[in-house]
Amino acid sequence: MDLANWHEYLKIREKEIEELLEKLLSDASKNNSEDTPSRENNDFADTASELVDSERINLEILRLKEGLAEIRHAFHKIEHYPERFARCEKCSKEIEEARMKAKPWARYCIRCKEQIERTKKVK
Ligand SMILES: [Zn+2]
């Protein structure tokens, strides 16, 4: 794929994430504002699972926002440093195409990525 293709591909992924994010945000606000109707069987298990649910939504929202930031970084690279796109920001080797397809905003090759993850865990 050439840069124009990647750009288009990123646009599609960006739109997908934005739509998903919008949906989750409206779900999250519904969860917060909705009056909890008094249930006949108001047991704790129910409340607990609701809490887990909104926590899960919040985590997902965070993950999507990070994804969007990464995508914008990729657009920035395409625009300003096209020669660096699809190249590892650490070792500047070309990033595997399969990896780029799964994650077109990837900054690092799989090797450097694994290294970074490892050092994060040590901390
Ligand atoms: Zn690398």
Side-chain angles (χ1 to χ4, degrees):
M1 292 220 273
D2 62 22
L3 263 190
N5 288 133
W6 282 121
H7 193 273
E8 207 170 304
Y9 189 55
L10 273 163
K11 274 272 170 218
I12 294 167
R13 297 292 294 264
E14 183 190 31
K15 198 158 180 283
E16 272 173 16
I17 294 181
E18 270 172 355
E19 275 166 13
L20 204 59
L21 187 60
E22 219 167 279
K23 194 187 159 299
L24 280 178
L25 283 172
S26 82
D27 279 1
S29 66
K30 243 186 272 159
N31 267 2
N32 291 338
S33 61
E34 220 171 63
D35 295 321
T36 330
S38 50
R39 289 192 198 84
E40 285 166 45
N41 280 328
N42 196 2
D43 59 1
F44 290 106
D46 240 29
T47 324
S49 77
E50 256 168 41
L51 270 179
V52 170
D53 221 47
S54 71
E55 204 167 303
R56 197 181 52 79
I57 291 176
N58 284 335
L59 264 175
E60 187 66 13
I61 288 172
L62 208 68
R63 207 178 60 82
L64 290 174
K65 280 187 176 165
E66 278 171 9
L68 277 181
E70 289 299 301
I71 285 182
R72 300 218 159 112
H73 177 79
F75 280 135
H76 180 83
K77 270 208 285 195
I78 290 179
E79 206 174 314
H80 298 279
Y81 320 99
E83 72 283 357
R84 285 193 216 163
F85 183 74
R87 285 196 174 266
C88 179
E89 290 184 12
K90 199 156 177 267
C91 68
S92 68
K93 277 201 194 109
E94 226 173 282
I95 300 176
E96 304 81 0
E97 179 146 330
R99 175 162 165 74
M100 288 300 294
K101 278 206 176 122
K103 251 185 157 188
W105 53 85
R107 295 178 186 221
Y108 307 106
C109 68
I110 196 80
R111 207 177 264 216
C112 291
K113 175 78 184 168
E114 274 168 10
Q115 222 170 36
I116 292 165
E117 295 287 307
R118 263 204 301 276
T119 44
K120 252 192 221 161
K121 266 174 210 154
V122 174
K123 249 183 223 172

